[in-house]
Amino acid sequence: MRLAARLVLLATIAAATTAPSTARRSMVLGAPGVVTRIDRRVDLSSAATVRLAGPLEIVLDGELRIAQGTRVEAALGSYIVVTREGTIEANGTITRPIVLTCTASVKYPGCWGGVIVQGNARINAGAASSPASVRGGSGGCREGVDPVSPAIAYGGCTDTDASGVLQFVRIEYAERGLQLQGVGSGTVIHHVQANRSRFEGLLAIGGRANARELFLTANGTGLRWTGGWRGEAQAIAIQQDTATFRAALVGQNAMTAAGDPNALPRSAPTLFNLTIIAQSRPINPNHATARALVFERGTAGLVRNTFLYAPHLALDIVGAEACQQLNGGALSLSSVVTAGASSLGTGASPAECILSEGALLASAASSNLVLASATGLLSSANDLLLPDLRPVFNSLLANAVAATPPAGGLFVGPAFVGAVPASPAPGQIPWFSGWTDPAPTPAPIPTGTVTGFVRSPFRGYLPNVIVRESTTGQSIVTNAASSYTLTTPAGTVLLEVDNLPTECTAPLARAATVAPGATTTVELLVDCWPFAAATRLAPGQDFMCAVAEQGPYCWGDNGRGQLGIGTTTDTLLPAMIPGGFTSVTSGSAHACGRTSAADVRCWGAGDQGQLGDGGATDRLTPVPVSGGHSFLAVSAGDAHTCGVKVDGSVWCWGANTNGQLGVASTSPSLVPTQVSSSVLFASVDAGAQHTCALDRAGAAYCWGNGLNGLIGDGTTSDRLAPVAVATSLRFAALSVGGAQACGTTATGSVHCWGDNVNGALGDGTSSPVTSPSTVNTAMPLAFVAAGGGHTCAVSPLAIAQCWGANATGQLGNGSFSSSFSPIAAPSATNMSLMTGGPSYTCGVTAGAVTGTGGNVIVISARSLLCWGSNAGGQFGTGDRLSSALPAGAAIGLTFR
């Protein structure tokens, strides 16, 4: 948000919070489709109904205080995220609860996003890259991202982290009511109702968050935990709706079905006093197997003093790993009363379990009890309008054997089964009475349409790709024009892609908002950029090659035949290369192209074997690389070339003075020779005299010249074979320049290593770095391009950023002064991708860019802009005029 807009917003909030409460007014917070970030204390009071128009994020130094009696109504697509650097103080009371609902006149589950609280506690999935907590605590633990806000990470090393207070808070009609992501035990959560959520009422992902007095009514799933949650909770009432519920309680360890069920820390919460109403014979045929208790994906946990009222299916233990926890006692159910169940279990419990589900629920040794009927056990049994979950005094439920809660901490006595005790006195009421709302039957969830294209900035539009809406499971295959159309429930949908080309990787699920009866267009960008360094833009020393919509072209200096056009005459305008190449790469004075059939040919300077054709002479037109190899991608360094194959092997040829071929020697090679490594690689990028590659898990390896830390292994030594870069980071892409290398993570952070005399690493210093150093910017970056002594990148909002050497104006900001941190190229704010030459930079302009954060739609890209040195005519403008600002280039060509 712009500063002026934020100041107006904060002034509006201040006015609302100081206004007298005699007349309820309305105030608007945020704007549709724009993320409003709060980085200071903001108070909301009951003096006005707060209309949340767009997403709200509480970030570093931010604190959101919501006073008792405040009502917040959120628009479709809105949500509240309390990041791990922010806090929330939502202090309702039993007579004046805080209400968080949606603006829809006819409310339905999913008409807004809900509340996400993120913390610095440990989770069991993601990269081990968490920073030190601003609230105290070390870094280096696992962290994850939420698909709705993928630019924000959660999780850390501080299990006692405190994110604030939520008490007497009612969350209604959300996608997910309350999400706790890596939240620590210092957070206070009690008396929270989640009513009519589309999916979970409460979702706990990792962390050690504790909670008391939870009332989870008519949600898709009442309570789910995953990712290593180890908190404590007491007095949990889960009341499901026969028409909509999937499961009442689901416990998991692995975050995804494909995740590690034995990941640590293992999910192992301790729960006391649950009442679960998961009625028999669900009306909705899609939920015919709806379950009360589900334990799967290797979860542990202790569940005590639980009452299951007339469940359709009482218990389902899924998978050998969950059985192992049950067998060892880490998953334990005791003092469980099951009454009126249609079925105690699936009848197909994993063979590894020592007890079947039915035998477990009937185990007298665990003080468990099965009753044939639920009649006469609850004061008001199955009532979503006027719930009263108190056991009937002196009933079998009221007199059931109960486990005594542990002394101290969260838990309080006395011992009884269920979420609330029996009340002999007429005046006593349950803790959830008065401040909660009933769960009336809502209007049917309306539908909308989501449509668009699937494409890669480098591969173009992609037909035959599966587009799946992950929350409903609907899927469709893109047609010949690469378009898709899905009809989905209104609200937030998560779009995933599958069945991609070999060189492409599936991005994180893309969140989109679908309005009732409306069509939302979402273009899905696929990451094919582990191979991006040598795909469409290929800068050489004083020449450029590129694949435009019209075909492959080169232009500029041609003294060694590096333009591939059969002469050694310079060409200041683009000239087509014969060969039908779909990707190109350029070295100091040679270039190579790859066809769609993986045929690779090279041309230009060949005196050191860099063409790979078995000779050591220059070639004026493309010649085949020797050996009949098929490469997924090829990358040219100064005087050597490397390619990666489908089987994960890397092969290199050409100069090898510093070991840049990675063949355990310094002997040059005139033909492709396999790199000495058993690692299975996914991409490779050749620098001046060194080479780096990513393995299939995103780990970086380098070899060759180690001067100034180029290898990234903590030394300045040459390496004759691949060695691991000294970092636990996993990268989505690498770019290797003349004296530096940079890796980009999936979340958009960039980390560089090597020579830094002019600031090429972007970390704010001029000292060389022998292991990855973080680029000094809070802006997420992609398509990073390392040049000779400078580096450039494009943000997800298509803003060009550059840093490092600037003697020829290669940073594009109109000056000739080096910059040690990223700066914007002011005339290049709409770029879809970048490339860096030795002393110049080029980028492709984007036709239109919309969106915020990770939700970016790049409609099209058209022309090429270049800046810096143009001594060889590498701009393609017909002259040799250099420019310190982005200038037009490559006359006559357009780009995707």
Side-chain angles (χ1 to χ4, degrees), residues 482-882:
S482 304
S483 69
Y484 71 93
T485 300
L486 284 170
T487 299
T488 70
T492 301
V493 298
L494 297 177
L495 300 174
E496 299 175 326
V497 293
D498 200 356
N499 195 39
L500 292 169
T502 304
E503 61 266 42
C504 301
T505 57
L508 292 173
R510 168 77 184 274
T513 300
V514 178
T519 297
T520 301
T521 300
V522 180
E523 187 172 15
L524 299 173
L525 295 182
V526 172
D527 297 332
C528 298
W529 38 299
F531 308 95
T535 304
R536 290 192 181 275
L537 302 180
Q541 180 62 45
D542 286 312
F543 75 104
M544 168 76 84
C545 293
V547 177
E549 290 186 347
Q550 295 86 346
Y553 288 78
C554 292
W555 57 91
D557 182 31
N558 195 31
R560 303 289 296 272
Q562 57 264 50
L563 302 189
I565 56 176
T567 74
T568 56
T569 303
D570 294 355
T571 298
L572 302 184
L573 293 173
M576 179 171 281
I577 321 161
F581 301 115
T582 57
S583 66
V584 287
T585 180
S586 297
S588 179
H590 79 290
C592 298
R594 176 187 177 275
T595 69
S596 58
D599 174 39
V600 175
R601 296 170 180 258
C602 299
W603 59 92
D607 56 314
Q608 299 187 67
Q610 59 265 53
L611 304 185
D613 65 338
T617 60
D618 295 358
R619 303 287 189 176
L620 305 186
T621 56
V623 294
V625 171
S626 180
H629 299 279
S630 294
F631 293 105
L632 281 177
V634 180
S635 180
D638 268 10
H640 75 291
T641 311
C642 295
V644 62
K645 292 186 173 182
V646 171
D647 65 3
S649 63
V650 170
W651 299 64
C652 296
W653 56 95
N656 196 28
T657 307
N658 298 98
Q660 57 263 46
L661 300 189
V663 295
S665 77
T666 55
S667 300
S669 177
L670 303 181
V671 296
T673 304
Q674 186 169 352
V675 169
S676 300
S677 177
S678 61
V679 174
L680 299 179
F681 292 104
S683 68
V684 65
D685 200 12
Q689 286 87 39
H690 77 299
T691 308
C692 295
L694 292 179
D695 72 11
R696 291 177 176 178
Y701 294 76
C702 293
W703 58 93
N705 186 4
L707 182 67
N708 292 318
L710 279 173
I711 302 301
D713 66 341
T715 75
T716 57
S717 303
D718 289 1
R719 299 294 187 178
L720 306 185
V723 295
V725 173
T727 180
S728 61
L729 292 167
R730 294 297 178 261
F731 299 110
L734 282 181
S735 182
V736 181
Q740 82 277 24
C742 296
T744 308
T745 70
T747 58
S749 65
V750 180
H751 310 264
C752 301
W753 58 96
D755 190 13
N756 198 26
V757 64
N758 289 304
L761 307 188
D763 63 356
T765 76
S766 59
S767 301
V769 174
T770 60
S771 62
S773 178
T774 304
V775 172
N776 186 25
T777 178
M779 180 181 293
L781 298 173
F783 304 125
V784 175
H790 75 294
T791 309
C792 290
V794 178
S795 80
L797 288 180
I799 299 172
Q801 299 270 297
C802 294
W803 58 92
N806 197 28
T808 61
Q810 58 263 52
L811 301 189
N813 67 337
S815 78
F816 298 92
S817 300
S818 298
S819 177
F820 300 95
S821 295
I823 56 175
S827 300
T829 56
N830 227 24
M831 310 296 289
S832 66
L833 60 99
M834 303 276 285
T835 189
S839 57
Y840 66 101
T841 306
C842 294
V844 173
T845 62
V849 177
T850 62
T852 59
N855 297 328
V856 179
I857 303 171
V858 179
I859 303 302
S860 62
R862 302 314 309 164
S863 60
L864 191 69
L865 295 179
C866 294
W867 53 94
S869 172
N870 190 28
Q874 59 265 39
F875 287 9
T877 53
D879 57 45
R880 300 179 191 270
L881 299 176
S882 299

Side-chain angles (χ1 to χ4, degrees), residues 13 31 112 121 147 155 207 283 328 334 356 416 456 515 641 661 719 806 867 896:
I13 294 172
W112 74 294
I283 296 171
S334 64
S356 69
F416 57 88
S456 162
T641 311
L661 300 189
R719 299 294 187 178
N806 197 28
W867 53 94
R896 284 191 298 209

Side-chain angles (χ1 to χ4, degrees), residues 187-203:
T187 306
V188 177
I189 303 170
H190 65 84
H191 292 90
V192 173
Q193 182 189 18
N195 189 18
R196 290 285 181 195
S197 301
R198 180 180 171 191
F199 299 107
E200 295 88 2
L202 189 149
L203 171 60

